[in-house]
């Protein structure tokens, strides 16, 4: 008699639990969070009802008679990994709110198709008509729609050369747009419709660092692969870390840090038609992390030198876990560095005291029904193919069943994007609650005690030291491209 593998039994038990609403209504799943913080908001059924969400779609689209839409109209955003899944939903929601979205994707054809779908979205079309009503100086964009809301650009986040080219092209485009605005500013009647610029040094209002890979491509040009060979980027960096962390670090340096430093740390202050001339538009940076950031089993937690990074074993799941943890530590260290810079500026000029312009945070979107699970199926079954036929059959059966049912128990990509959108669009909450360098779970739940990386960490000193070493390491990796 063939014994059923434990993971098949676990799947059947999982289906039994989630097929009935009784445990959810009794709040039994909420007790999971007491065992480990990774369970907080991991699945929709771990939250009893939507009243417990920290942020809702109603608040996103319909707060205070559409004040959120009016506030965001004319702002700019970059979304990496934007053609599918969470990235697509981020781009769609932002476009609905009147944000000019740059969809940064590796595949230009998929990106263009996603952008076309967004531009044809009913809410996007309707809201654009409302905003442009009465404007006698309408201009059609390349797609024939009034007002440029969505544009696409190609970038490979694992390639530092590609990231730098993206930033240069984006900068050139923004400078051209500003020059056009300056020409239009000669017409006083046109000013009320434009996104005003008091300083010309802020290239983007929102950065959503969403692009990421879970498995690296370790195949040669001939299609062959090796189980023992670690996949490296063209820059000689472990590929998952290069894509999920290093590329985004360079993008921040080129699009945010460099422009500010070139202006001798003068804070870029801009206004929209709904803000006063002295109201700054803060830069918001949101990194898409994961619950697996809690699971990294490397003793050093996150590599801070190239030898350690590239000495890992190929296909080790900790490679992905490491990258997701690094994203959390990155936002914390960025915030710490900004605090130090702000304190120095405040000593020189008290007018800066209340002017925090960058809100960098990370979020775990939860378990999401995206194509990453299909990728998991392919990778897992291929790696099992060399084992026994029975083992391979059970593995294939497990992942086939899982892919069939998981979408009914996980967050949809639209729901998964909501916490990230909260951190990008709710500037009033960000300011009032000083939400900077924080880590969130669905739905918009602040994790007050998130990653305990070391058993004995005196006032998180060891964690802070790791953050500093990580930042220095990333600076070294991108030095030739800054």
């Amino acid at each position: 008699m063939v014994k059923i593998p434990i993971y098949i039994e676990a799947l059947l038990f999982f289906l039994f639990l989630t097929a009935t609403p009784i445990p959810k209504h009794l709040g039994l799943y909420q007790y999971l969070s007491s065992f480990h913080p990774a369970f907080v908001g991991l699945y929709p059924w771990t939250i009893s009802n939507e009243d417990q969400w920290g942020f809702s779609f109603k608040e996103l689209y319909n707060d205070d008679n559409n004040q959120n839409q009016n506030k965001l109209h004319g702002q700019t955003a970059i979304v990496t990994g934007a053609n599918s899944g969470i990235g697509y939903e981020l781009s769609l929601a932002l476009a609905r709110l009147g944000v000019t979205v740059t969809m940064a994707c590796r595949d230009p054809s998929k990106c263009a198709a996603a952008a076309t779908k967004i531009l044809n979205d009913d809410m996007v079309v309707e809201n654009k008509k409302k905003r442009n009503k009465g404007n006698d100086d309408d201009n059609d964009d390349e797609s024939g729609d009034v007002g440029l809301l969505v544009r696409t650009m190609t970038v490979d986040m694992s390639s530092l050369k590609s990231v730098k080219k993206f930033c240069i092209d984006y900068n050139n485009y923004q400078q051209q747009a500003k020059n056009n605005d300056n020409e239009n500013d000669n017409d006083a009647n046109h000013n009320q419709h434009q996104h005003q610029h008091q300083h010309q040094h802020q290239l983007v209002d929102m950065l959503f660092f969403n692009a990421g890979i879970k498995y690296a491509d370790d195949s040669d040009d001939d299609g062959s692969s090796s189980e023992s060979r670690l996949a490296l980027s063209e820059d000689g960096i472990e590929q998952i870390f290069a894509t999920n962390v290093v590329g985004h670090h360079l993008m921040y340096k080129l699009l945010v840090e460099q422009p500010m430093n070139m202006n001798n740390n003068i804070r870029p202050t801009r206004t929209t038609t709904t803000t006063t001339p002295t109201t700054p538009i803060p830069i918001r940076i949101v990194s898409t992390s994961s619950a697996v950031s809690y699971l990294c089993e490397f003793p050093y937690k996150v590599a801070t030198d190239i030898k350690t990074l590239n000495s890992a074993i190929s296909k080790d799941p900790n490679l992905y876990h490491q990258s997701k943890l690094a994203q959390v530590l990155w936002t914390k260290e960025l915030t710490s560095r900004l605090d130090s810079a702000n304190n120095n500026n405040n000593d020189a000029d008290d007018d800066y005291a209340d002017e925090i312009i960058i809100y960098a945070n990370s979020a775990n979107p939860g378990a999401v029904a995206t194509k990453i699970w299909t990728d998991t199926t392919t990778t897992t079954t291929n790696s099992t193919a060399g084992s026994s036929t029975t083992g391979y059959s059970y593995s294939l059966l497990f992942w086939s069943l899982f892919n069939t049912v998981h979408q009914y128990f996980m967050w949809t990509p639209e729901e998964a994007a909501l916490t990230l959108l909260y951190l990008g669009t709710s500037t009033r909450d960000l300011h009032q609650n000083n939400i900077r360098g924080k880590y969130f779970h669905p739905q918009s739940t602040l994790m007050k005690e998130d990653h305990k990386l070391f058993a004995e960490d005196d006032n998180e000193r060891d964690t802070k030291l790791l953050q500093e070493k990580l930042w220095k390491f990333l600076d070294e990796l991108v030095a030739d491209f800054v």
Side-chain angles (χ1 to χ4, degrees):
M1 181 177 179
V2 179
K3 179 177 175 57
I4 299 177
I6 186 63
Y7 49 78
I8 295 294
E9 296 178 357
L11 176 61
L12 295 175
F13 182 67
F14 172 82
L15 293 176
F16 170 77
L17 286 178
T18 54
T20 170
I22 296 177
K24 177 178 178 179
H25 292 327
L26 292 176
L28 296 180
Y29 295 128
Q30 293 183 352
Y31 288 110
L32 287 173
S33 61
S34 65
F35 293 102
H36 198 286
F39 289 114
V40 175
L42 184 61
Y43 293 96
W45 36 269
T46 60
I47 303 176
S48 295
N49 54 68
E50 292 188 16
D51 292 338
Q52 294 183 350
W53 289 17
F55 189 63
S56 66
F57 289 108
K58 182 178 180 180
E59 291 173 288
L60 177 66
Y61 294 121
N62 302 309
D63 66 318
D64 301 329
N65 296 318
N66 294 327
Q67 286 299 309
N68 203 30
Q69 296 190 43
N70 294 333
K71 175 183 63 180
L72 295 168
H73 181 218
Q75 292 191 29
T76 58
I78 295 174
V79 180
T80 64
N83 62 274
S84 64
I86 295 174
Y88 171 81
E89 296 297 340
L90 288 170
S91 303
L92 174 60
L94 293 169
R96 288 172 171 175
L97 294 169
V99 176
T100 297
V101 184
T102 297
M103 301 176 67
C105 316
R106 185 170 56 179
D107 188 318
S109 60
K110 291 181 179 179
C111 204
T116 299
K117 186 177 178 181
I118 289 174
L119 289 170
N120 290 325
D121 175 75
D122 290 342
M123 189 182 298
V124 171
V125 173
E126 184 62 28
N127 288 343
K128 287 174 69 175
K129 288 180 179 178
K130 290 179 180 178
R131 294 187 189 100
N132 287 284
K133 187 177 182 180
N135 187 350
D136 296 328
D137 196 23
D138 289 345
N139 292 306
D140 290 349
D141 66 7
E142 297 173 357
S143 65
D145 292 294
V146 177
L148 182 59
L149 280 179
V150 180
R151 53 192 294 263
T152 63
M153 294 182 67
T154 304
V155 63
D156 178 355
M157 294 305 301
S158 72
S159 164
L160 296 178
K161 179 180 177 181
S162 178
V163 172
K164 182 170 184 176
K165 182 180 184 304
F166 169 91
C167 294
I168 292 173
D169 292 344
Y170 180 85
N171 181 37
N172 291 338
Y173 182 90
Q174 290 299 100
Q175 292 299 332
Q176 182 59 48
K178 291 174 183 177
N179 293 337
N180 293 338
D181 280 350
N182 291 335
E183 293 177 3
N184 291 329
D185 283 345
N186 294 325
D187 183 356
N189 292 328
H190 188 78
N191 286 343
Q192 62 179 327
H193 300 294
Q194 295 300 310
H195 183 47
Q196 304 297 313
H197 298 256
Q198 287 188 330
H199 299 285
Q200 303 294 316
H201 310 286
Q202 185 165 317
L203 296 176
V204 62
D205 299 307
M206 288 171 271
L207 276 170
F208 289 90
F209 289 157
N210 172 74
I213 59 172
K214 189 172 183 179
Y215 299 102
D217 181 8
D218 59 0
S219 61
D220 291 328
D221 294 338
D222 61 2
S224 63
S225 63
S226 171
E227 291 291 330
S228 60
R229 182 177 57 248
L230 187 71
L232 303 180
S233 71
E234 66 183 33
D235 302 292
I237 305 168
E238 189 278 311
Q239 194 170 13
I240 296 175
F241 195 80
T243 304
N244 300 0
V245 185
V246 184
H248 289 125
H249 182 72
L250 177 60
M251 186 174 288
Y252 163 77
K253 303 280 283 189
L254 296 179
L255 294 183
V256 179
E257 184 177 273
Q258 248 189 19
M260 292 179 64
N261 289 341
M262 290 174 62
N263 194 45
N264 297 321
N265 291 321
I266 295 178
R267 286 174 166 76
T269 302
R270 298 182 296 139
T271 61
T272 63
T273 56
T274 58
T275 62
T276 64
T278 58
T279 302
I281 297 177
I283 299 173
R284 287 87 75 198
I285 301 173
V286 186
S287 293
T288 304
S289 184
S290 168
V292 301
S293 59
Y294 292 99
L295 305 180
C296 186
E297 295 179 351
F298 288 146
Y300 47 82
K301 301 304 178 184
V302 173
T304 55
D305 65 83
I306 193 67
K307 181 179 179 180
T308 301
L309 179 66
N310 290 350
S311 296
I313 300 173
S314 177
K315 300 187 185 303
D316 186 337
N318 284 296
L319 292 171
Y320 180 64
H321 302 171
Q322 169 185 240
S323 72
K324 295 289 112 176
L325 175 59
Q327 290 175 313
V328 177
L329 297 177
W330 185 87
T331 57
K332 291 179 180 291
E333 180 59 20
L334 171 58
T335 300
S336 177
R337 288 172 172 265
L338 292 171
D339 283 344
S340 297
N342 284 343
N343 289 336
N344 292 335
N345 284 331
N346 290 343
D347 292 339
D349 188 344
D350 290 339
D351 290 340
Y352 286 149
D354 296 323
E355 195 174 325
I356 299 172
I357 64 164
I358 298 181
Y359 295 90
N361 296 283
S362 58
N364 158 34
V368 191
T370 64
K371 68 173 186 174
I372 197 169
W373 297 104
T374 304
D375 296 338
T376 300
T377 302
T378 303
T379 303
T380 304
T381 53
N382 285 345
S383 65
T384 313
S387 60
S388 68
T389 304
T390 302
Y392 174 72
S393 299
Y394 275 128
S395 179
L396 182 61
L397 173 61
F398 170 77
W399 287 110
S400 297
L401 286 172
F402 187 83
N403 276 316
T404 301
V405 303
H406 82 279
Q407 59 185 319
Y408 300 107
F409 308 112
M410 293 184 174
W411 296 106
T412 66
E414 181 183 23
E415 293 169 335
L418 193 56
T419 299
L420 304 169
L421 288 166
Y422 169 74
L423 295 172
T425 66
S426 298
T427 52
R428 181 172 56 187
D429 279 6
L430 296 177
H431 176 70
Q432 290 179 350
N433 299 315
N434 192 30
I435 301 175
R436 304 169 59 247
K438 304 299 184 182
Y439 179 63
F440 280 72
H441 277 217
Q443 286 289 351
S444 304
T445 299
L446 172 62
M447 301 299 292
K448 296 182 180 180
E449 296 183 4
D450 45 88
H451 294 75
K452 299 298 182 183
L453 301 182
F454 304 98
E456 296 182 3
D457 194 349
D458 184 19
N459 294 320
E460 298 185 349
R461 177 181 175 276
D462 293 334
T463 299
K464 182 64 172 69
L465 181 60
L466 178 60
Q467 293 172 197
E468 294 172 351
K469 293 170 108 175
L470 171 63
W471 192 276
K472 181 181 178 182
F473 177 42
L474 293 173
D475 274 352
E476 293 171 352
L477 291 175
V478 304
D480 292 339
F481 296 87
V482 176

